[in-house]
Amino acid sequence: MKRPIVRLSSLQLTNIKNVKKGIIYMPNTTNKILLADKAEVLGIYGQNGSGKTAIVDALYFLQKVMVGANLDHSMEDYIDMDSNKAEIMADFNIFIENIVFEVGYRLYLSREEKEVFISREVLSVAKNENGSRTNKTAFMDYQRKLKDSIFKPKNRLDEVVEANKEIKTDLIVARKIAEKSNCSYIFGESSREIFCREYTNGFKQYSFIISSLFEFALKDLFVIRNTHSGVISANFVLPMAFRIENDSVGAKGDFTVPLTEPILVDEERKNILETIVEQINIVLYTIIPGIQVTIKNYGKQSLNHGEQGWRLELMSKREGMKEIPIRMESEGIIKIISILNALIQAFGNPSICLVIDELDAGVFEYMLGELLDIFKKSAKGQLIFTSHNLRALEMLDKESIMFSTTNPNNRYIHMKSVRESNNLRNMYIRSITLGGQSEEIYEETDSLKIARAFRKAGRGVRNE
């Protein structure tokens, strides 16, 4: 069977960081379009500290949960301090042949004595086929507190154990393993192996949905957080987000290259790095004229376990100039190199969802606008980003921009009353100063008070 296309439709946060409630919608969802043949770009803009990064962090943790990893201990810091419960609710569209599954995944988190655990998971689905749509109903509902129930509804459980009654014992064991290791019950390795088997009964489509979501989180969802840019700014390492899938190599992740010294790699990692650089160079010289990334090979060297390895260093080469170490390039160029392979993947693959926090960091304003415009017009995948640079507001449609607000109970909105002839950037600035939107989008600052505070602080410095 042809591999399905999975697309994020919307994301709702409850009690995550400073977001008591907030929902973002992808452009196709806003426009009520159920297609997967074109790019979707969503930029999230707003005041500092207004919940933009919460979206990126939530998708990062959601990805970890959906690949069956243990819940990150740092999650405790992301739950609103006024509450001991939080929710991340993601809606996806799964496209396969002439069928579209509208799938909702609800992740409920609870905190007890500074420990966070998954208290409930719910998967629901509606099926679109040949112009008709079924009602959206839950087909798997795991609740940690219900010790006597493996999961609900019972008819779905019966379908799983229909062929072999001993599977029920395996499901009970898998549940205990998931709760002990603090990972997802639905996507945890032990239970996922059971749910994703070959079924011939009514559970067949549900097995397909679970495996499709797992594959999406594992192979197609890229989340590039602030920490990615932070290590670049420190001129310490270059983390290159990448995805390679061909006959000889298949991998995804961050290929971390030290900027202070050559890297020692085995043959497999050497091949991966060469493939990444080859793909990057096809596009890089068109973005930054005349520049190419090269790999300087210092020769063979034994690895710690005795196998043969290679000492390699990333270099920058410009026309008519000698190669220099990549660390000598500007932060903006290194930032572009670090995300370029992921951008290439999202450009050509409709199932890729690339999420980047502070996309504009170190990137020239005009270049940022050009990249977004090209992606919007010609790409196939999804791009979600946060930014402070307002150039994107002049390049993207109103459905492709959401704004964070000062209201923690309604954190994200679309700008209202926007006509095609309007400049969204000008409207945003006007709304900051004059209001007129459904929610306040900027908590007003007083320039006189700021100046007075600086003078007061300055006097204290001089008196020391």
Side-chain angles (χ1 to χ4, degrees):
M1 181 183 287
K2 183 181 177 183
R3 191 178 169 209
I5 296 172
V6 181
R7 310 267 285 202
L8 180 68
S9 173
S10 66
L11 181 74
Q12 176 175 321
L13 310 185
T14 303
N15 294 331
I16 299 293
K17 296 181 78 171
N18 63 352
V19 181
K20 292 193 179 296
K21 187 171 183 180
I23 309 174
I24 63 164
Y25 301 97
M26 296 304 293
N28 281 357
T29 306
T30 301
N31 292 323
K32 298 181 180 179
I33 298 173
L34 209 58
L35 296 173
D37 59 343
K38 292 183 180 180
E40 287 183 275
V41 182
L42 181 66
I44 304 169
Y45 279 78
Q47 192 172 6
N48 291 333
S50 61
K52 300 186 300 299
T53 298
I55 293 293
V56 179
D57 290 333
L59 285 168
Y60 170 80
F61 288 116
L62 186 68
Q63 179 185 39
K64 295 296 184 185
V65 169
M66 290 174 63
V67 297
N70 297 353
L71 196 64
D72 199 308
H73 291 295
S74 66
M75 190 68 213
E76 194 269 333
D77 297 326
Y78 288 82
I79 295 180
D80 189 337
M81 295 308 295
D82 294 331
S83 176
N84 286 319
K85 296 183 182 298
E87 299 171 15
I88 301 175
M89 303 185 179
D91 288 318
F92 302 92
N93 292 326
I94 301 178
F95 300 82
I96 181 71
E97 297 173 351
N98 63 331
I99 300 172
V100 182
F101 293 104
E102 297 178 39
V103 182
Y105 177 53
R106 308 294 185 258
L107 177 67
Y108 298 80
L109 303 169
S110 296
R111 176 172 53 198
E112 291 182 3
E113 298 179 353
K114 294 189 176 182
E115 291 291 329
V116 177
F117 58 89
I118 297 171
S119 57
R120 187 178 182 185
E121 295 176 89
V122 181
L123 273 174
S124 56
V125 64
K127 184 178 180 181
N128 290 272
E129 185 176 14
N130 299 324
S132 63
R133 180 184 185 275
T134 64
N135 293 326
K136 198 169 194 178
T137 55
F139 67 89
M140 188 165 289
D141 185 351
Y142 154 76
Q143 298 182 50
R144 186 179 177 122
K145 66 180 181 180
L146 299 181
K147 299 298 183 182
D148 297 332
S149 172
I150 301 175
F151 69 84
K152 295 181 177 181
K154 185 178 181 301
N155 57 341
R156 297 286 85 85
L157 175 61
D158 292 341
E159 289 172 348
V160 174
V161 303
E162 185 179 275
N164 185 351
K165 301 300 180 184
E166 293 181 3
I167 291 178
K168 190 169 184 178
T169 303
D170 296 337
L171 287 171
I172 294 171
V173 172
R175 176 175 168 139
K176 290 182 177 180
I177 292 173
E179 291 175 356
K180 185 175 181 180
S181 59
N182 203 10
C183 70
S184 164
Y185 176 60
I186 296 175
F187 295 103
E189 183 178 0
S190 299
S191 45
R192 189 180 69 245
E193 287 180 353
I194 299 171
F195 297 143
C196 296
R197 291 174 181 172
E198 292 288 336
Y199 290 89
T200 56
N201 59 14
F203 199 77
K204 181 178 181 179
Q205 70 175 6
Y206 305 119
S207 173
F208 166 77
I209 289 167
I210 293 171
S211 62
S212 297
L213 292 178
F214 169 74
E215 290 285 320
F216 168 76
L218 183 68
K219 297 181 178 181
D220 298 334
L221 177 58
F222 287 84
V223 182
I224 300 177
R225 305 168 77 194
N226 254 334
T227 51
H228 189 98
S229 298
V231 293
I232 293 174
S233 299
N235 206 28
F236 178 57
V237 296
L238 166 56
M240 291 189 288
F242 76 97
R243 180 180 184 271
I244 297 171
E245 194 166 349
N246 54 41
D247 294 337
S248 58
V249 180
K252 170 184 175 285
D254 270 350
F255 196 110
T256 303
V257 179
L259 291 174
T260 55
E261 60 183 359
I263 185 175
L264 183 60
V265 296
D266 58 19
E267 184 173 6
E268 181 182 0
R269 286 176 59 79
K270 175 176 176 287
N271 292 338
I272 290 174
L273 182 59
E274 289 173 345
T275 303
I276 293 171
V277 169
E278 181 182 355
Q279 290 180 354
I280 284 175
N281 279 334
I282 295 172
V283 178
L284 183 62
Y285 81 96
T286 64
I287 297 175
I288 307 166
I291 191 172
Q292 293 274 276
V293 177
T294 62
I295 301 174
K296 187 172 184 179
N297 191 334
Y298 289 97
K300 297 178 181 178
Q301 180 177 324
S302 295
L303 303 173
N304 292 335
H305 42 75
E307 292 185 11
Q308 182 174 270
W310 285 264
R311 290 180 70 242
L312 309 173
E313 185 175 13
L314 283 186
M315 308 292 285
S316 169
K317 183 177 181 181
R318 295 175 183 266
E319 293 177 359
M321 299 176 65
K322 290 184 178 181
E323 291 182 339
I324 60 172
I326 201 73
R327 66 176 177 272
M328 302 305 295
E329 291 290 356
S330 69
E331 181 182 333
I333 289 177
I334 296 175
K335 168 72 178 285
I336 290 172
I337 291 171
S338 74
I339 65 172
L340 192 51
N341 186 270
L343 274 171
I344 291 169
Q345 299 301 321
F347 192 89
N349 188 332
S351 198
I352 296 289
C353 180
L354 174 58
V355 185
I356 306 177
D357 199 10
E358 297 191 6
L359 174 61
D360 60 321
V363 180
F364 182 50
E365 180 181 35
Y366 186 79
M367 176 56 65
L368 175 66
E370 291 299 296
L371 286 174
L372 291 173
D373 187 52
I374 293 167
F375 196 96
K376 178 190 71 174
K377 292 178 178 177
S378 306
K380 295 181 179 179
Q382 294 181 304
L383 173 64
I384 302 172
F385 68 94
T386 71
S387 176
H388 294 101
N389 190 307
L390 302 184
R391 172 68 171 161
L393 274 61
E394 298 175 325
M395 307 302 294
L396 300 175
D397 301 327
K398 62 179 181 179
E399 295 84 3
S400 295
I401 301 289
M402 292 197 73
F403 299 92
S404 56
T405 75
T406 62
N407 181 1
N409 293 298
N410 186 22
R411 269 297 180 200
Y412 312 105
I413 62 170
H414 282 107
M415 192 76 70
K416 68 177 186 179
S417 303
V418 181
R419 299 182 180 88
E420 288 188 13
S421 58
N422 290 144
N423 184 310
L424 192 57
R425 176 176 184 156
N426 293 339
M427 283 196 67
Y428 180 48
I429 295 173
R430 192 182 311 122
S431 297
I432 288 174
T433 55
L434 301 177
Q437 296 301 316
S438 57
E439 295 283 355
E440 185 180 52
I441 57 177
Y442 186 81
E443 190 170 349
E444 190 174 354
T445 54
D446 189 320
S447 58
L448 293 176
K449 288 183 178 179
I450 294 172
R452 192 179 305 120
F454 268 110
R455 286 195 296 270
K456 183 178 180 181
R459 286 195 296 271
V461 172
R462 288 196 300 271
N463 292 334
E464 288 182 1

